[in-house]
Amino acid sequence: MTRYRLRFLLQEFDLPRGITLIGRSLDCHVTIEDPLVSRQHARVVIEDDRARVEDLESRNGVKVNGVPIKEPTSLKDGDRLRIGTQDLVFCRVDPVGAAHAKTTGVLRLCANCRLPYPREMLQCPNCAATEQTDEETLSGAHGGEKQTAWSLQLLTEALEKALTLGRDQDAERIIRRATAQMDELIAAGALLANEQIEGLTRAAARASIASREATWAVWVPNVYRRLDRVPSPAMIDTIVALADAFASEMSEPVALLGEFLRANVRAATPADADGLARIERLSRRLSGSITPIPDSAQGPASNPTLS
């Protein structure tokens, strides 16, 4: 018998025959703790070998493959459902391995370290805290911006997992969405924490090294130029590693980063001044004006780590 699942980030949930409710309420079969998701937002109905999704008069609606729906809409393998700001993929699967799939699931956000983790865990696996974010905090005056930042963090976590598991197609899909969200936040002037920026730029570097494709490598220095921010020593190590892997592609973005930071950013700390100097040395090396000099000859620096 044909089986169906919903894939959300790197989790998969079985869709049994009958109705599966999706929403923010814990009474739903698939619960998404997202303030832009209604308590009972949508339902997926499986009858015989047919499946459909219905919007339950939710506040922000349901989209199938980017198109808002008004009536019950048939689903086929690979269709993408947008619930609030979250994307779920409808999958048709073989019965093999079905016993290992989840039938319900909830993601919660740690109030202490801001990392997502499954609700069934009693404490955050990252920092051992037991307190979660409360709904009013996420849906306050700046709820949209906070929700987008939260979603960015979820995507970064999912990207790291996809890269670790070697799931290249998932990684490509996730990184496109994550980088687009960060670009939107930067354009909107949102305040981004250093750990958010470094988390995604480091993952983007890993993706480029793994795929041997320079798209995301070039994106990394451009992010710091748009942010008017000198990368941390660890991120400069990463940019150097990317330049070693993609010398011709990285030459221009590294040069632009160095020129922009020198003209627009005041080196407030010795680390900033050293970072500017390292970027300029790297730019000259990529342009062919100087020969490579190991960082150990310039002073202490940490080893580049992309994994």
Side-chain angles (χ1 to χ4, degrees), residues 266-280:
R266 178 171 166 265
T269 67
D272 284 346
D274 181 68
L276 281 169
R278 291 185 65 196
I279 291 169
E280 289 176 335

Side-chain angles (χ1 to χ4, degrees), residues 30 34 40 50 55 61-63 87 98 107 110 126 129 163 166 176 184 189 214-215 219 221 227 241 267 269 295:
V30 177
D34 175 338
Q40 291 194 351
R50 295 176 298 173
D55 182 10
V62 176
K63 293 181 180 179
D87 283 331
L107 292 178
C110 177
N126 182 62
L163 290 169
R176 288 187 182 280
E184 290 172 4
T215 299
W219 179 81
L227 286 166
T269 67
D295 278 334

Side-chain angles (χ1 to χ4, degrees), residues 205 220-221 224 231 234-244 250 254 257 279 282 304 306:
V220 171
Y224 287 93
M235 277 311 304
I236 294 178
D237 289 341
T238 297
I239 292 172
V240 170
L242 291 173
D244 290 340
M250 291 290 288
V254 169
L257 175 62
I279 291 169
L282 177 61
L306 299 183

